[in-house]
Amino acid sequence: AQKVTQAQTEISVVEKEDVTLDCVYETRDTTYYLFWYKQPPSGELVFLIRRNSFDEQNEISGRYSWNFQKSTSSFNFTITASQVVDSAVYFCALRNQAGTALIFGKGTTLSVSS
Amino acid sequence: EPEVTQTPSHQVTQMGQEVILRCVPISNHLYFYWYRQILGQKVEFLVSFYNNEISEKSEIFDDQFSVERPDGSNFTLKIRSTKLEDSAMYFCASSEFVQANQPQHFGDGTRLSIL
């Protein structure tokens, strides 16, 4: 069975704090892909990053970084020096090699206050 | 940057009525998807579509639902006889290729409210 767990329902931070959003996944496939999407208050889903199961290199893009650890089935997302505009719901998603569906976690609501 | 466009942004319908949600995928994309998000809950896969056929569908996508690509640009989701529990945000998505590493690009969604 495939499953994505985002244990943190809501996180509140003050601007300039670093924050890490956790994502744990379950799959029996050896080849799979992980994604992060952002859903701002306006409601659209914005693609942020993709990671392949065979590539465990961490990635940094500006203030965003992602830590993929196959050993713990985790794909965590860190925002450094958070800003008010980072306030959104963040979804982690999994897709197996064979299927077409994205399996989403329940999302983490991040609130950044000034 | 190319976008997936969905219309209308908000649809209010009486229970039992038919509703059609419309999507214009990114123009060079060949694979299309519908998802739904009940208020405050996670995004759930409904159906994927390629070459005028359903590729995969979830348990949610029962006989009340259908999809169609009526012309070269539109992709529609029809709900035949709406129920209260169909109230949700419906997202259309598209991808250029079907490979699992390809990101699916989402539209802004249609909020469907069933009265």
Side-chain angles (χ1 to χ4, degrees), chain A residues 37 39 50 95 100 102, chain B residues 35 37 48 56 98 101 104:
Chain A
Y37 284 84
Q39 187 176 43
R50 161 193 62 209
R95 182 175 169 181
T100 58
L102 282 171
Chain B
Y35 290 79
Q37 184 183 28
S48 58
E56 185 180 356
V98 77
N101 66 345
Q104 296 175 16

Side-chain angles (χ1 to χ4, degrees), chain A residues 12-17 82-84 87 110-114:
Chain A
S12 295
V13 299
V14 178
E15 255 191 324
K16 299 183 184 174
E17 282 186 36
S82 58
Q83 299 176 0
V84 172
S87 297
L110 174 64
S111 300
V112 183
S113 57
S114 56

Side-chain angles (χ1 to χ4, degrees), chain B:
Chain B
E1 189 172 323
E3 294 182 338
V4 175
T5 305
Q6 291 186 242
T7 55
S9 56
H10 191 191
Q11 174 82 45
V12 181
T13 301
Q14 292 288 330
M15 187 171 60
Q17 296 295 305
E18 174 184 287
V19 66
I20 296 176
L21 309 182
R22 292 184 164 78
C23 169
V24 178
I26 295 172
S27 62
N28 64 329
H29 286 191
L30 300 176
Y31 301 87
F32 316 119
Y33 315 83
W34 282 101
Y35 290 79
R36 80 171 184 191
Q37 184 183 28
I38 294 172
L39 187 63
Q41 298 188 24
K42 66 178 175 180
V43 179
E44 301 173 291
F45 171 76
L46 293 177
V47 67
S48 58
F49 189 86
Y50 168 67
N51 200 26
N52 285 319
E53 287 185 352
I54 290 175
S55 303
E56 185 180 356
K57 60 182 181 179
S58 71
E59 293 174 353
I60 303 167
F61 194 87
D62 61 23
D63 291 345
Q64 291 298 312
F65 291 87
S66 61
V67 288
E68 191 179 29
R69 187 152 165 82
D71 52 46
S73 58
N74 289 285
F75 178 52
T76 62
L77 173 70
K78 182 195 289 187
I79 308 175
R80 227 176 305 278
S81 178
T82 50
K83 302 188 279 279
L84 291 175
E85 53 264 38
D86 293 326
S87 295
M89 180 76 92
Y90 287 81
F91 289 102
C92 174
S94 69
S95 62
E96 189 174 1
F97 305 106
V98 77
Q99 285 86 349
N101 66 345
Q102 294 296 305
Q104 296 175 16
H105 296 275
F106 286 77
D108 288 353
T110 292
R111 181 164 298 285
L112 178 62
S113 300
I114 307 300
L115 304 179

